[in-house]
């Protein structure tokens, strides 16, 4: 939403007569991206469209497939024809994807606009698109987690742990049948204090076999998991 607000502010304060874009800087450093990515960047990123209409929904859907977003763009096309506007936005997003070494670009139209700026010199109409840029990441475990909420703490009688939101398809966690709602309380008998300690332990034990202790509907289970790279 904040990208749309920025773009609309630009439309209301400038007299642009063509298509333009706003690029959000990458959310992580180039070194961090290199550490996370599963392989070399392609020469041309894959550009796809989605019917999902919020960045949060898109991020979660593609994270389940092993992709992580690291930047975004908002495009305005002055073509009133949607197909022409889509082609123009695709080309711009593909070029930006090449610049930032993305593996995947996911696009979705935000809305059509028709703004008349009577206090300036122009009017604006057309279609606004948003694009999210993704890399294919290494998945040593494949758990997408969140911090505990009050209901989780009451269930396990503890303030320590993380709750599984989803698992990456065909990841070690997926293959070990760790499922959404599982509360992970320990790894190798080391208590999990939160997401940061959980992520650090996994990151520093790649390619190792670990024992994950979790609570599922009040029952404590242990899972032996061979971590990936």
């Amino acid at each position: 939403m904040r990208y749309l607000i920025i773009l609309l502010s630009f439309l209301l304060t400038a007299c642009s007569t063509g298509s333009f874009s706003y690029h959000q800087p990458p959310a992580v450093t180039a070194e961090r991206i290199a550490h996370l990515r599963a392989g070399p960047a392609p020469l041309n990123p894959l550009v796809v469209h989605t019917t999902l209409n919020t960045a949060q929904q898109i991020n979660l859907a593609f994270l389940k497939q092993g992709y992580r977003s690291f930047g975004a763009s908002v495009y305005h096309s002055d073509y009133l024809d949607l197909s022409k506007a889509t082609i123009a936005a695709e080309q711009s997003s593909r070029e930006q994807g090449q610049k930032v070494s993305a593996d995947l670009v996911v696009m979705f139209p935000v809305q059509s606009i028709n703004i008349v700026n009577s206090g300036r010199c122009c009017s604006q109409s057309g279609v606004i698109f948003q694009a999210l840029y993704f890399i294919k990441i290494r998945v040593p475990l494949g758990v997408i987690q969140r911090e505990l909420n009050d209901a989780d703490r009451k269930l396990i009688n503890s303030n320590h742990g993380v709750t599984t939101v989803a698992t990456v398809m065909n990841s070690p966690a997926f293959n070990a049948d760790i499922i959404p709602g599982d509360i992970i309380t320990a790894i190798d008998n080391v208590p999990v204090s939160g997401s940061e300690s959980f992520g650090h332990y996994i990151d520093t034990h790649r390619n190792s076999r670990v024992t994950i202790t979790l609570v599922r509907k009040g029952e404590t289970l242990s899972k032996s998991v061979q971590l990936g790279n």
Side-chain angles (χ1 to χ4, degrees):
M1 175 60 73
R2 60 175 177 160
Y3 312 128
L4 179 57
I5 293 171
I6 291 170
L7 182 57
L8 290 176
S9 297
F10 185 86
L11 284 171
L12 288 168
T13 58
C15 294
S16 173
T17 57
S19 299
F20 58 87
S21 59
Y22 163 77
H23 301 297
Q24 180 199 23
V28 292
T29 64
E31 292 77 13
R32 181 61 177 165
I33 290 173
H35 174 72
L36 290 172
R37 73 181 320 142
L43 293 176
N44 292 296
L46 178 65
V47 179
V48 300
H49 292 263
T50 180
T51 56
L52 300 174
N53 56 17
T54 70
Q56 183 177 10
Q57 291 174 334
I58 294 168
N59 280 323
L60 180 57
F62 283 89
L63 192 55
K64 290 179 183 179
Q65 300 177 43
Y67 289 91
R68 174 173 168 172
S69 68
F70 66 98
S73 294
V74 178
Y75 298 94
H76 166 251
S77 174
D78 53 8
Y79 287 114
L80 295 178
D81 181 89
L82 181 59
S83 62
K84 290 182 179 180
T86 300
I87 291 171
E90 277 184 2
Q91 180 61 32
S92 295
S93 65
R94 182 176 288 106
E95 291 173 356
Q96 179 65 12
Q98 290 173 328
K99 291 178 182 177
V100 298
S101 299
D103 293 306
L104 175 71
V105 182
V106 179
M107 297 187 64
F108 59 103
V110 179
Q111 67 177 59
S112 297
I113 60 170
N114 186 9
I115 298 174
V116 177
N117 191 352
S118 57
R120 303 280 294 185
C121 59
C122 60
S123 64
Q124 289 290 349
S125 61
V127 182
I128 297 176
F129 292 87
Q130 185 168 337
L132 300 178
Y133 300 94
F134 290 81
I135 55 170
K136 185 73 171 178
I137 58 173
R138 296 186 293 165
V139 184
L141 178 59
V143 165
I144 303 165
Q145 79 278 354
R146 62 165 172 79
E147 302 291 356
L148 300 181
N149 59 28
D150 289 343
D152 299 330
R153 295 185 182 96
K154 184 176 181 180
L155 179 65
I156 64 174
N157 294 314
S158 174
N159 291 320
H160 303 294
V162 293
T163 299
T164 303
V165 175
T167 55
V168 176
M169 291 288 292
N170 300 316
S171 67
F174 181 90
N175 293 331
D177 289 327
I178 296 175
I179 62 175
D182 287 347
I183 301 174
I184 298 173
T185 57
I187 310 176
D188 292 335
N189 295 317
V190 177
V192 173
S193 60
S195 287
E196 185 174 351
S197 69
F198 175 71
H200 178 73
Y201 194 96
I202 296 301
D203 198 43
T204 55
H205 289 77
R206 294 171 183 265
N207 298 313
S208 301
R209 181 166 288 278
V210 299
T211 299
I212 294 179
T213 304
L214 58 86
V215 177
R216 179 181 296 167
K217 295 182 179 180
E219 181 183 2
T220 300
L221 305 173
S222 290
K223 298 281 187 178
S224 178
V225 183
Q226 176 63 47
L227 299 181
N229 185 42

